[in-house]
Short mmCIF file of all heavy atoms in Angstrom, two decimals:
data_model
loop_
_atom_site.label_atom_id
_atom_site.label_comp_id
_atom_site.label_asym_id
_atom_site.label_seq_id
_atom_site.Cartn_x
_atom_site.Cartn_y
_atom_site.Cartn_z
N VAL A 1 11.32 2.87 11.70
CA VAL A 1 11.37 1.54 12.30
C VAL A 1 10.45 0.60 11.54
O VAL A 1 10.84 -0.55 11.17
CB VAL A 1 11.00 1.57 13.79
CG1 VAL A 1 10.57 0.17 14.26
CG2 VAL A 1 12.14 2.10 14.62
N TRP A 2 9.17 0.98 11.35
CA TRP A 2 8.26 0.04 10.72
C TRP A 2 8.57 -0.20 9.24
O TRP A 2 8.30 -1.21 8.64
CB TRP A 2 6.81 0.54 10.84
CG TRP A 2 6.29 0.24 12.18
CD1 TRP A 2 6.04 1.13 13.18
CD2 TRP A 2 5.93 -1.00 12.74
NE1 TRP A 2 5.57 0.51 14.32
CE2 TRP A 2 5.44 -0.81 14.06
CE3 TRP A 2 5.88 -2.32 12.20
CZ2 TRP A 2 5.02 -1.81 14.88
CZ3 TRP A 2 5.47 -3.35 13.01
CH2 TRP A 2 5.01 -3.09 14.38
N LEU A 3 9.20 0.82 8.60
CA LEU A 3 9.64 0.65 7.18
C LEU A 3 10.69 -0.47 7.07
O LEU A 3 10.89 -1.01 6.01
CB LEU A 3 10.15 1.96 6.60
CG LEU A 3 9.22 3.15 6.57
CD1 LEU A 3 9.84 4.34 5.96
CD2 LEU A 3 7.88 2.78 5.81
N LYS A 4 11.40 -0.68 8.19
CA LYS A 4 12.50 -1.65 8.16
C LYS A 4 12.08 -3.02 8.83
O LYS A 4 12.50 -4.09 8.45
CB LYS A 4 13.72 -1.09 8.88
CG LYS A 4 14.26 0.10 8.17
CD LYS A 4 15.47 0.68 8.78
CE LYS A 4 15.99 1.95 8.14
NZ LYS A 4 16.29 1.77 6.70
N LEU A 5 11.29 -2.89 9.93
CA LEU A 5 10.96 -4.11 10.69
C LEU A 5 9.93 -4.96 10.00
O LEU A 5 10.00 -6.18 9.98
CB LEU A 5 10.43 -3.72 12.07
CG LEU A 5 10.17 -4.87 13.04
CD1 LEU A 5 11.38 -5.69 13.29
CD2 LEU A 5 9.62 -4.35 14.40
N LYS A 6 8.93 -4.30 9.38
CA LYS A 6 7.81 -5.08 8.72
C LYS A 6 8.34 -6.00 7.60
O LYS A 6 8.02 -7.15 7.53
CB LYS A 6 6.74 -4.15 8.21
CG LYS A 6 5.84 -3.59 9.39
CD LYS A 6 4.87 -2.52 8.89
CE LYS A 6 3.71 -3.12 8.13
NZ LYS A 6 2.77 -3.76 9.03
N PRO A 7 9.20 -5.47 6.70
CA PRO A 7 9.70 -6.37 5.65
C PRO A 7 10.72 -7.36 6.14
O PRO A 7 11.02 -8.38 5.47
CB PRO A 7 10.35 -5.41 4.61
CG PRO A 7 10.65 -4.14 5.41
CD PRO A 7 9.57 -4.09 6.40
N LEU A 8 11.23 -7.19 7.36
CA LEU A 8 12.07 -8.13 8.01
C LEU A 8 11.22 -9.34 8.51
O LEU A 8 11.59 -10.50 8.42
CB LEU A 8 12.86 -7.53 9.13
CG LEU A 8 14.00 -8.35 9.75
CD1 LEU A 8 15.07 -8.70 8.72
CD2 LEU A 8 14.57 -7.63 10.94
N ALA A 9 10.07 -8.96 9.10
CA ALA A 9 9.15 -9.98 9.66
C ALA A 9 8.38 -10.73 8.54
O ALA A 9 8.04 -11.93 8.67
CB ALA A 9 8.25 -9.37 10.65
N TYR A 10 7.91 -9.99 7.52
CA TYR A 10 7.10 -10.51 6.48
C TYR A 10 7.82 -10.50 5.14
O TYR A 10 8.32 -9.41 4.76
CB TYR A 10 5.78 -9.73 6.28
CG TYR A 10 4.84 -9.81 7.48
CD1 TYR A 10 4.74 -8.80 8.39
CD2 TYR A 10 3.98 -10.92 7.66
CE1 TYR A 10 3.88 -8.83 9.50
CE2 TYR A 10 3.11 -10.97 8.67
CZ TYR A 10 3.03 -9.93 9.66
OH TYR A 10 2.17 -10.01 10.69
N GLN A 11 7.86 -11.58 4.49
CA GLN A 11 8.57 -11.69 3.18
C GLN A 11 7.71 -11.93 2.01
O GLN A 11 8.12 -11.79 0.90
CB GLN A 11 9.70 -12.73 3.31
CG GLN A 11 10.72 -12.41 4.38
CD GLN A 11 11.95 -13.29 4.31
OE1 GLN A 11 11.94 -14.39 3.79
NE2 GLN A 11 13.04 -12.75 4.93
N VAL A 12 6.41 -12.31 2.29
CA VAL A 12 5.46 -12.60 1.18
C VAL A 12 4.18 -11.86 1.34
O VAL A 12 3.66 -11.19 0.50
CB VAL A 12 5.18 -14.13 1.19
CG1 VAL A 12 4.04 -14.43 0.14
CG2 VAL A 12 6.39 -14.95 0.81
N HIS A 13 3.62 -11.89 2.61
CA HIS A 13 2.37 -11.27 2.92
C HIS A 13 2.41 -9.73 2.79
O HIS A 13 3.46 -9.12 3.13
CB HIS A 13 1.87 -11.64 4.33
CG HIS A 13 0.44 -11.28 4.56
ND1 HIS A 13 0.03 -10.03 4.95
CD2 HIS A 13 -0.70 -12.05 4.51
CE1 HIS A 13 -1.28 -10.06 5.10
NE2 HIS A 13 -1.73 -11.26 4.85
N PRO A 14 1.37 -9.11 2.30
CA PRO A 14 1.41 -7.57 2.15
C PRO A 14 1.50 -6.80 3.46
O PRO A 14 1.64 -5.56 3.38
CB PRO A 14 0.13 -7.28 1.43
CG PRO A 14 -0.74 -8.42 1.59
CD PRO A 14 0.20 -9.63 1.63
N TYR A 15 1.45 -7.46 4.55
CA TYR A 15 1.77 -6.77 5.83
C TYR A 15 3.21 -6.33 5.87
O TYR A 15 3.67 -5.62 6.80
CB TYR A 15 1.52 -7.61 7.06
CG TYR A 15 0.08 -7.77 7.50
CD1 TYR A 15 -0.31 -8.77 8.44
CD2 TYR A 15 -0.96 -7.02 6.97
CE1 TYR A 15 -1.65 -8.92 8.83
CE2 TYR A 15 -2.29 -7.14 7.36
CZ TYR A 15 -2.60 -8.09 8.31
OH TYR A 15 -3.90 -8.22 8.70
N GLN A 16 3.98 -6.64 4.83
CA GLN A 16 5.42 -6.30 4.84
C GLN A 16 5.63 -4.82 4.62
O GLN A 16 6.72 -4.29 4.77
CB GLN A 16 6.15 -7.10 3.76
CG GLN A 16 5.73 -6.77 2.29
CD GLN A 16 6.34 -7.69 1.31
OE1 GLN A 16 7.37 -7.44 0.72
NE2 GLN A 16 5.74 -8.84 1.08
N TRP A 17 4.64 -4.05 4.14
CA TRP A 17 4.82 -2.61 4.00
C TRP A 17 3.91 -1.89 4.98
O TRP A 17 2.81 -2.32 5.41
CB TRP A 17 4.55 -2.15 2.60
CG TRP A 17 3.27 -2.52 1.97
CD1 TRP A 17 2.12 -1.81 2.09
CD2 TRP A 17 3.04 -3.56 0.99
NE1 TRP A 17 1.13 -2.43 1.35
CE2 TRP A 17 1.67 -3.45 0.65
CE3 TRP A 17 3.83 -4.51 0.41
CZ2 TRP A 17 1.06 -4.35 -0.28
CZ3 TRP A 17 3.20 -5.41 -0.50
CH2 TRP A 17 1.88 -5.31 -0.82
N ALA A 18 4.36 -0.70 5.37
CA ALA A 18 3.64 0.18 6.29
C ALA A 18 2.46 0.83 5.55
O ALA A 18 2.39 0.94 4.35
CB ALA A 18 4.54 1.26 6.87
N THR A 19 1.45 1.31 6.35
CA THR A 19 0.25 1.92 5.78
C THR A 19 0.60 3.11 4.88
O THR A 19 0.00 3.35 3.89
CB THR A 19 -0.67 2.36 6.91
OG1 THR A 19 -0.99 1.23 7.69
CG2 THR A 19 -1.96 2.93 6.30
N ILE A 20 1.66 3.82 5.28
CA ILE A 20 2.09 5.02 4.45
C ILE A 20 2.64 4.63 3.13
O ILE A 20 2.70 5.42 2.25
CB ILE A 20 3.15 5.82 5.26
CG1 ILE A 20 3.30 7.21 4.70
CG2 ILE A 20 4.45 5.13 5.33
CD1 ILE A 20 2.16 8.13 4.96
N GLY A 21 3.07 3.34 2.95
CA GLY A 21 3.64 2.84 1.75
C GLY A 21 5.10 2.50 1.86
O GLY A 21 5.74 2.78 2.87
N LYS A 22 5.57 1.77 0.89
CA LYS A 22 6.97 1.39 0.82
C LYS A 22 7.91 2.60 0.64
O LYS A 22 8.92 2.66 1.36
CB LYS A 22 7.30 0.36 -0.28
CG LYS A 22 6.70 -1.03 -0.10
CD LYS A 22 7.13 -1.88 -1.28
CE LYS A 22 6.53 -3.27 -1.28
NZ LYS A 22 6.95 -4.05 -2.45
N GLU A 23 7.58 3.40 -0.29
CA GLU A 23 8.46 4.49 -0.61
C GLU A 23 7.65 5.64 -1.20
O GLU A 23 6.54 5.46 -1.74
CB GLU A 23 9.50 4.03 -1.66
CG GLU A 23 8.91 3.38 -2.87
CD GLU A 23 9.98 2.70 -3.76
OE1 GLU A 23 10.55 1.67 -3.33
OE2 GLU A 23 10.18 3.23 -4.85
N ILE A 24 8.25 6.85 -1.21
CA ILE A 24 7.57 8.04 -1.62
C ILE A 24 7.13 8.02 -3.08
O ILE A 24 6.07 8.51 -3.48
CB ILE A 24 8.43 9.34 -1.32
CG1 ILE A 24 8.49 9.58 0.20
CG2 ILE A 24 7.87 10.52 -2.06
CD1 ILE A 24 9.32 10.78 0.58
N SER A 25 7.96 7.32 -3.91
CA SER A 25 7.73 7.32 -5.37
C SER A 25 6.37 6.74 -5.70
O SER A 25 5.74 7.04 -6.70
CB SER A 25 8.84 6.56 -6.09
OG SER A 25 8.87 5.22 -5.68
N HIS A 26 5.89 5.77 -4.83
CA HIS A 26 4.62 5.15 -5.05
C HIS A 26 3.52 6.19 -4.99
O HIS A 26 2.51 6.06 -5.73
CB HIS A 26 4.37 4.00 -4.11
CG HIS A 26 5.17 2.82 -4.37
ND1 HIS A 26 5.04 1.56 -3.72
CD2 HIS A 26 6.22 2.53 -5.26
CE1 HIS A 26 5.88 0.71 -4.19
NE2 HIS A 26 6.69 1.31 -5.08
N ILE A 27 3.61 7.12 -4.08
CA ILE A 27 2.59 8.18 -3.97
C ILE A 27 2.81 9.20 -5.05
O ILE A 27 1.87 9.69 -5.67
CB ILE A 27 2.73 8.83 -2.57
CG1 ILE A 27 2.61 7.77 -1.48
CG2 ILE A 27 1.66 9.95 -2.42
CD1 ILE A 27 1.35 7.02 -1.48
N GLU A 28 4.07 9.51 -5.33
CA GLU A 28 4.35 10.56 -6.38
C GLU A 28 3.79 10.13 -7.70
O GLU A 28 3.36 11.00 -8.55
CB GLU A 28 5.90 10.79 -6.47
CG GLU A 28 6.47 11.47 -5.28
CD GLU A 28 7.95 11.58 -5.38
OE1 GLU A 28 8.60 10.65 -6.01
OE2 GLU A 28 8.56 12.53 -4.81
N ASN A 29 3.77 8.81 -7.95
CA ASN A 29 3.41 8.36 -9.33
C ASN A 29 1.94 8.01 -9.36
O ASN A 29 1.48 7.47 -10.44
CB ASN A 29 4.22 7.11 -9.66
CG ASN A 29 5.72 7.47 -9.81
OD1 ASN A 29 6.06 8.54 -10.20
ND2 ASN A 29 6.60 6.47 -9.50
N ALA A 30 1.12 8.27 -8.38
CA ALA A 30 -0.26 7.94 -8.40
C ALA A 30 -1.01 8.83 -9.43
O ALA A 30 -0.90 10.01 -9.48
CB ALA A 30 -0.92 8.23 -7.04
N GLN A 31 -1.70 8.15 -10.36
CA GLN A 31 -2.43 8.80 -11.43
C GLN A 31 -3.91 8.69 -11.25
O GLN A 31 -4.45 7.87 -10.55
CB GLN A 31 -2.00 8.19 -12.76
CG GLN A 31 -0.48 8.27 -13.04
CD GLN A 31 0.04 9.70 -13.11
OE1 GLN A 31 -0.59 10.59 -13.81
NE2 GLN A 31 1.09 9.92 -12.45
N MET A 32 -4.67 9.61 -11.91
CA MET A 32 -6.09 9.66 -11.81
C MET A 32 -6.76 8.30 -12.15
O MET A 32 -7.74 7.90 -11.48
CB MET A 32 -6.65 10.77 -12.60
CG MET A 32 -8.19 10.97 -12.47
SD MET A 32 -8.69 11.27 -10.72
CE MET A 32 -8.04 12.95 -10.51
N ALA A 33 -6.28 7.66 -13.21
CA ALA A 33 -6.82 6.43 -13.56
C ALA A 33 -6.71 5.37 -12.48
O ALA A 33 -7.59 4.57 -12.22
CB ALA A 33 -6.14 5.86 -14.87
N ASP A 34 -5.57 5.37 -11.77
CA ASP A 34 -5.38 4.49 -10.66
C ASP A 34 -6.33 4.77 -9.53
O ASP A 34 -6.94 3.85 -8.89
CB ASP A 34 -3.93 4.56 -10.11
CG ASP A 34 -2.85 4.35 -11.19
OD1 ASP A 34 -3.08 3.46 -11.99
OD2 ASP A 34 -1.82 5.05 -11.14
N VAL A 35 -6.62 6.06 -9.27
CA VAL A 35 -7.48 6.48 -8.20
C VAL A 35 -8.94 6.03 -8.52
O VAL A 35 -9.61 5.46 -7.66
CB VAL A 35 -7.43 8.02 -8.01
CG1 VAL A 35 -8.53 8.51 -7.16
CG2 VAL A 35 -6.08 8.45 -7.41
N LYS A 36 -9.36 6.20 -9.71
CA LYS A 36 -10.72 5.82 -10.12
C LYS A 36 -10.91 4.28 -9.99
O LYS A 36 -11.96 3.83 -9.54
CB LYS A 36 -11.01 6.32 -11.48
CG LYS A 36 -11.19 7.84 -11.61
CD LYS A 36 -11.58 8.26 -12.99
CE LYS A 36 -11.85 9.75 -13.05
NZ LYS A 36 -12.20 10.20 -14.47
N ALA A 37 -9.89 3.59 -10.38
CA ALA A 37 -9.98 2.08 -10.34
C ALA A 37 -10.01 1.61 -8.90
O ALA A 37 -10.80 0.70 -8.57
CB ALA A 37 -8.82 1.49 -11.07
N PHE A 38 -9.29 2.26 -8.01
CA PHE A 38 -9.23 1.91 -6.63
C PHE A 38 -10.61 2.13 -6.00
O PHE A 38 -11.13 1.34 -5.22
CB PHE A 38 -8.16 2.73 -5.90
CG PHE A 38 -7.87 2.16 -4.51
CD1 PHE A 38 -6.88 1.19 -4.31
CD2 PHE A 38 -8.47 2.67 -3.39
CE1 PHE A 38 -6.60 0.69 -3.03
CE2 PHE A 38 -8.15 2.20 -2.12
CZ PHE A 38 -7.22 1.20 -1.95
N PHE A 39 -11.16 3.33 -6.30
CA PHE A 39 -12.51 3.63 -5.77
C PHE A 39 -13.58 2.68 -6.22
O PHE A 39 -14.35 2.13 -5.42
CB PHE A 39 -12.90 5.01 -6.21
CG PHE A 39 -14.22 5.50 -5.67
CD1 PHE A 39 -14.33 6.19 -4.46
CD2 PHE A 39 -15.44 5.34 -6.38
CE1 PHE A 39 -15.54 6.53 -3.94
CE2 PHE A 39 -16.67 5.74 -5.91
CZ PHE A 39 -16.71 6.33 -4.65
N ALA A 40 -13.61 2.35 -7.49
CA ALA A 40 -14.55 1.41 -8.02
C ALA A 40 -14.47 0.03 -7.47
O ALA A 40 -15.43 -0.67 -7.23
CB ALA A 40 -14.43 1.34 -9.59
N LYS A 41 -13.25 -0.36 -7.07
CA LYS A 41 -13.00 -1.74 -6.58
C LYS A 41 -13.40 -1.87 -5.13
O LYS A 41 -13.86 -2.91 -4.74
CB LYS A 41 -11.48 -2.07 -6.78
CG LYS A 41 -11.13 -3.49 -6.37
CD LYS A 41 -9.66 -3.76 -6.69
CE LYS A 41 -9.29 -5.14 -6.33
NZ LYS A 41 -7.86 -5.45 -6.67
N HIS A 42 -13.18 -0.79 -4.37
CA HIS A 42 -13.28 -0.90 -2.88
C HIS A 42 -14.37 -0.03 -2.26
O HIS A 42 -14.86 -0.45 -1.16
CB HIS A 42 -11.97 -0.64 -2.27
CG HIS A 42 -10.83 -1.45 -2.68
ND1 HIS A 42 -10.73 -2.79 -2.28
CD2 HIS A 42 -9.71 -1.23 -3.42
CE1 HIS A 42 -9.60 -3.30 -2.76
NE2 HIS A 42 -9.01 -2.40 -3.48
N TYR A 43 -14.78 1.02 -2.87
CA TYR A 43 -15.68 1.94 -2.19
C TYR A 43 -17.12 1.78 -2.72
O TYR A 43 -17.52 2.54 -3.58
CB TYR A 43 -15.24 3.40 -2.39
CG TYR A 43 -14.15 3.70 -1.35
CD1 TYR A 43 -12.82 3.24 -1.44
CD2 TYR A 43 -14.40 4.44 -0.14
CE1 TYR A 43 -11.86 3.52 -0.49
CE2 TYR A 43 -13.46 4.68 0.83
CZ TYR A 43 -12.19 4.26 0.60
OH TYR A 43 -11.20 4.49 1.59
N ASN A 44 -17.83 0.71 -2.23
CA ASN A 44 -19.14 0.51 -2.63
C ASN A 44 -19.92 -0.12 -1.45
O ASN A 44 -19.27 -0.62 -0.50
CB ASN A 44 -19.24 -0.44 -3.87
CG ASN A 44 -18.50 -1.68 -3.66
OD1 ASN A 44 -18.90 -2.48 -2.84
ND2 ASN A 44 -17.43 -1.94 -4.49
N PRO A 45 -21.25 -0.11 -1.42
CA PRO A 45 -22.03 -0.58 -0.33
C PRO A 45 -21.75 -1.99 0.15
O PRO A 45 -21.72 -2.31 1.29
CB PRO A 45 -23.49 -0.44 -0.88
CG PRO A 45 -23.43 0.61 -1.85
CD PRO A 45 -22.09 0.49 -2.53
N SER A 46 -21.49 -2.85 -0.86
CA SER A 46 -21.23 -4.29 -0.47
C SER A 46 -19.93 -4.53 0.20
O SER A 46 -19.66 -5.54 0.69
CB SER A 46 -21.34 -5.16 -1.76
OG SER A 46 -20.35 -4.76 -2.72
#
């Protein structure tokens, strides 16, 4: 339901996708370089 309702309600804002993600391929394609960059950007004291 949320995979279909959220992109119906939101067409620009990133609330348009569910927390689990838009599709499985986005998780399948996650690489270590992406993981390290995400950590450096978001996981810090500030």
Side-chain angles (χ1 to χ4, degrees):
V1 163
W2 282 107
L3 299 181
K4 299 182 183 301
L5 185 59
K6 287 173 76 74
L8 189 64
Y10 294 100
Q11 300 190 337
V12 173
H13 194 278
Y15 281 171
Q16 67 186 266
W17 55 80
T19 304
I20 196 72
K22 287 182 183 178
E23 53 190 68
I24 288 177
S25 65
H26 287 189
I27 305 301
E28 291 174 331
N29 296 330
Q31 301 299 312
M32 184 58 71
D34 303 322
V35 168
K36 289 183 176 180
F38 193 88
F39 182 88
K41 184 176 183 179
H42 299 290
Y43 279 76
N44 56 63
S46 61

